[in-house]
């Protein structure tokens, strides 16, 4: 695969992420303190590290399930066609569902996923997204918890990829294309 050369400039440090995740988990634990029906639904693959950190800070009985929806392929722009590639294993009817997403960009992916999950009649359903790009929004979605609002930049790290790379970075950085040296 040919890939234009790029570098990653740090946008949000690992330390800042950890502090924000801890704060979000506190709010979430507080919000759900009276339920024993909480299921965290992670949207694969970008949210896997966020979920791992978030649930370890949630001080409640919690189940974890995953759903994979695809809208991007390996491109940087959303195709706006959302497909379910991998469905949940468990039932969410009558449960408190917290959908955890890596980034809300145009909003199409999340809007579509929420519509599908609503048909299964969860008791309550909320969204927690690590990152939000408000400038890019096309579809209306409400997220009760947002980690960070970020500018209209393509970002990677902390689970988030560019063409499947850079998920393993501990921080979040912006992709910056550089001239090829030859
Ligand atoms: P949306 O449907 O445009 O909101 O797209 C949301 C999905 O696109 C996210 O869950 C990410 O998987 C992906 N995405 C959006 N922005 C970025 C980015 O800056 N870097 C990597 N993936 C992104
Ligand atoms: Mg995603």
């Amino acid at each position: 695969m040919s890939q234009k050369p790029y570098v990653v400039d740090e946008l949000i440090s690992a330390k800042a992420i950890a502090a924000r995740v801890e704060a979000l988990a506190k709010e979430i634990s507080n919000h759900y303190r009276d339920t024993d029906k909480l299921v965290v639904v992670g949207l694969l693959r970008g949210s896997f590290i966020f979920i791992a950190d978030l649930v370890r800070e949630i001080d409640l009985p919690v189940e974890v399930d995953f759903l994979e929806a695809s809208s991007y392929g390996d491109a940087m722009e959303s195709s706006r066609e959302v497909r379910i590639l991998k469905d949940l294993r468990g039932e969410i009817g009558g449960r408190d569902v917290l959908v955890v997403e890596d980034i809300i960009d145009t909003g199409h992916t999340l809007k579509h996923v929420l519509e599908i999950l609503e048909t299964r009649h969860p008791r309550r359903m909320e969204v927690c997204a690590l990152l939000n790009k408000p400038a890019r929004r096309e579809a209306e979605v409400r997220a009760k918890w947002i980690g960070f609002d970020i500018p209209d930049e393509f970002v990677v790290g902390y689970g988030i990829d560019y063409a499947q790379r850079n998920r393993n970075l501990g921080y979040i950085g912006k992709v910056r294309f550089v001239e090829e040296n030859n």
Side-chain angles (χ1 to χ4, degrees):
M1 179 183 64
S2 91
Q3 184 87 65
K4 277 203 300 179
Y6 64 92
V7 294
V8 178
D9 299 324
E10 185 175 287
L11 184 65
I12 307 171
S13 70
K15 216 176 148 184
I17 297 168
R20 188 69 188 117
V21 170
E22 198 187 324
L24 288 170
K26 275 213 179 86
E27 288 181 31
I28 289 166
S29 302
N30 195 40
H31 181 83
Y32 290 108
R33 66 182 176 277
D34 294 328
T35 184
D36 57 359
K37 293 183 175 351
L38 180 60
V39 52
V40 169
V41 168
L43 303 192
L44 292 173
R45 283 170 267 178
S47 70
F48 80 108
I49 292 179
F50 179 39
I51 299 228
D53 285 346
L54 189 72
V55 296
R56 281 182 291 179
E57 301 280 346
I58 293 179
D59 189 16
L60 296 170
V62 59
E63 290 180 24
V64 179
D65 205 342
F66 293 98
L67 183 143
E68 184 171 15
S70 164
S71 60
Y72 271 56
D74 279 346
M76 274 186 163
E77 285 294 318
S78 174
S79 63
R80 288 172 186 78
E81 260 175 55
V82 179
R83 288 180 301 143
I84 298 290
L85 301 179
K86 181 200 168 296
D87 207 340
L88 299 175
R89 290 293 297 271
E91 302 290 331
I92 58 165
R95 312 288 303 276
D96 283 309
V97 174
L98 177 63
V99 176
V100 177
E101 172 66 311
D102 55 354
I103 307 184
I104 310 178
D105 187 32
T106 64
H108 289 293
T109 306
L110 195 54
K111 184 166 189 269
H112 187 82
V113 166
L114 293 175
E115 280 167 8
I116 292 171
L117 296 181
E118 280 294 355
T119 66
R120 302 176 190 179
H121 307 293
R123 181 161 85 169
R124 290 181 294 186
M125 187 160 60
E126 301 292 354
V127 171
C128 175
L130 179 65
L131 303 176
N132 180 38
K133 294 185 198 173
R136 299 259 309 162
R137 191 74 81 257
E138 293 175 8
E140 210 188 308
V141 281
R142 59 182 179 89
K144 194 171 186 71
W145 294 284
I146 299 277
F148 302 90
D149 280 336
I150 59 166
D152 181 10
E153 301 276 359
F154 198 84
V155 296
V156 293
Y158 196 68
I160 300 164
D161 74 301
Y162 172 38
Q164 301 309 324
R165 297 293 176 87
N166 306 117
R167 293 190 196 274
N168 54 332
L169 292 175
Y171 58 90
I172 288 163
K174 329 180 210 185
V175 168
R176 178 164 54 88
F177 292 101
V178 291
E179 293 303 315
E180 215 147 349
N181 280 329
N182 45 18

